[in-house]
Amino acid sequence: MKKIAVMADIHGNSEALRTCIHEARKRKVDEFIFLGDYIGDMASPQRTLELLKQIEEQYPCTFIRGNKENYWIDHRRNSDEVWESGKTPTGMLAYNYSQLSNSDINFFEKLPISDIMHYDGYPDVTICHGSPSKVNQSMRPDYDYIDELMDEIPTDLVLCGHFHIQMNYKRKGKQIINPGAVGVPLHSEGKTQFMILHGNQGVWSPEFISLHYDRERVIKDMELEKLDIKAPGWYKITKHLLMTGEISHATVVRKVMDLYFRESGKYDLDQIPENIWNRVIEELFSCK
């Protein structure tokens, strides 16, 4: 028998990651697979990276690159790009990037965006963050390109992240599983999530896991780092998502961009004023 812990979308939530790792150890997993988006939305990203280094020293680990990792890689390459602190769309990016070393970004840069895992006596498994070919392409079953995408995947089982919802579905004879998100899962009632992939007599089966953890501590750490000031709107979105498990960053961003376009005729995320962010957030979250 095999037991593989599969974790995705940590987003810098070291408290949730610590809880998931502890549970995986209790359940005596054999190895870990991490599906990308390791940091980006919470305080002290080095805590998350240190936990990943520790687990890599103790277990076989496989790491995949997510779209968040591309942000840090591309920003290092583009010296003209400005991420301003105090602004909702860029403040969290600026904060996280300031905490990274070149060796951290080198590590991200070496990660593949997908891989095929081989286990004797078991079917091969494709692993990725978004899709096997694009880190930011969601494999949600309701997207119109999913059938076409299935034709390009060589294995009958795919493990993916990116859309933050625990899900197990089949399409065109292939099984797609999202383990949920460790850091900011959707529709989770605020619990952290991961999956154990069980292998028994040549057959894979998923076990979804959701756990309570100290969300208040995560929010307090964000405030101690002044992320409510450095990235005001982003902090509010993250806090709401941590506490409720509902309304993603992407949903808010889309509504903000739509409102800004209706009022200005422009579609530039970095130029959207804070009052637009505040109006949308207050409407969605009843923030005062």
Side-chain angles (χ1 to χ4, degrees):
M1 294 182 63
K2 294 183 179 295
K3 287 185 179 181
I4 305 170
V6 184
M7 301 185 185
D9 294 286
I10 301 164
H11 286 246
N13 192 336
S14 59
E15 192 68 24
L17 177 60
R18 185 178 292 107
T19 299
C20 290
I21 288 174
H22 178 72
E23 184 69 16
R25 289 181 187 274
K26 280 175 49 180
R27 293 171 180 251
K28 301 187 184 303
V29 301
D30 305 306
E31 65 179 277
F32 287 76
I33 293 174
F34 294 97
L35 299 179
D37 276 14
Y38 301 103
I39 63 168
D41 292 306
M42 287 168 233
S44 305
Q46 284 298 330
R47 293 180 191 168
T48 294
L49 297 180
E50 184 58 36
L51 282 171
L52 295 174
K53 290 174 185 175
Q54 290 174 6
I55 207 69
E56 188 180 20
E57 292 172 355
Q58 299 163 6
Y59 291 84
C61 289
T62 302
F63 297 94
I64 292 295
R65 192 198 316 166
N67 57 289
K68 289 283 189 181
E69 284 68 66
N70 276 358
Y71 294 168
W72 324 124
I73 294 165
D74 293 343
H75 190 65
R76 184 170 68 172
R77 292 173 180 167
N78 183 5
S79 59
D80 294 330
E81 184 176 49
V82 177
W83 284 343
E84 290 186 50
S85 183
K87 295 185 64 175
T88 288
T90 58
M92 195 68 76
L93 293 170
Y95 167 78
N96 274 267
Y97 189 79
S98 73
Q99 306 291 306
L100 294 176
S101 67
N102 274 321
S103 61
D104 295 327
I105 300 173
N106 291 342
F107 168 72
F108 296 146
E109 201 164 28
K110 292 176 182 177
L111 299 180
I113 68 168
S114 65
D115 204 351
I116 297 178
M117 307 297 291
H118 306 282
Y119 299 93
D120 290 343
Y122 290 88
D124 289 348
V125 182
T126 295
I127 61 174
C128 57
H129 177 71
S131 75
S133 58
K134 297 179 182 178
V135 292
N136 61 350
Q137 183 177 46
S138 175
M139 292 187 70
R140 277 180 46 163
D142 52 336
Y143 285 13
D144 56 11
Y145 54 76
I146 291 297
D147 283 346
E148 182 179 348
L149 188 58
M150 291 302 104
D151 294 334
E152 303 171 3
I153 297 174
T155 66
D156 291 336
L157 176 59
V158 183
L159 308 181
C160 66
H162 193 51
F163 60 89
H164 297 208
I165 302 171
Q166 283 186 336
M167 192 169 292
N168 178 12
Y169 71 94
K170 286 192 174 182
R171 188 67 59 87
K172 300 188 76 170
K174 296 177 181 179
Q175 186 175 13
I176 296 87
I177 304 175
N178 188 313
V182 171
V184 279
L186 282 166
H187 316 318
S188 68
E189 299 179 345
K191 297 176 184 177
T192 182
Q193 297 179 330
F194 75 105
M195 178 186 80
I196 294 178
L197 187 65
H198 294 269
N200 188 12
Q201 297 183 344
V203 177
W204 296 116
S205 60
E207 178 189 5
F208 289 140
I209 297 168
S210 297
L211 303 165
H212 290 286
Y213 73 102
D214 193 347
R215 295 169 294 170
E216 289 78 9
R217 179 175 177 178
V218 177
I219 293 166
K220 182 178 179 181
D221 286 345
M222 292 175 70
E223 292 168 352
L224 287 172
E225 287 289 290
K226 295 183 169 51
L227 295 182
D228 53 333
I229 297 170
K230 296 174 181 176
W234 208 260
Y235 160 81
K236 291 178 183 177
I237 300 165
T238 304
K239 179 180 178 180
H240 185 272
L241 183 52
L242 286 170
M243 297 307 295
T244 67
E246 300 298 332
I247 308 182
S248 69
H249 294 82
T251 295
V252 180
V253 169
R254 283 194 295 270
K255 288 184 177 295
V256 166
M257 293 187 74
D258 287 345
L259 177 59
Y260 184 56
F261 181 76
R262 290 199 305 271
E263 295 194 353
S264 70
K266 300 177 183 178
Y267 213 64
D268 187 343
L269 181 64
D270 291 343
Q271 299 302 316
I272 298 176
E274 289 299 313
N275 71 296
I276 297 286
W277 287 95
N278 290 335
R279 285 164 58 189
V280 171
I281 289 169
E282 287 173 4
E283 178 184 345
L284 290 174
F285 303 160
S286 299
C287 294
K288 300 296 184 182

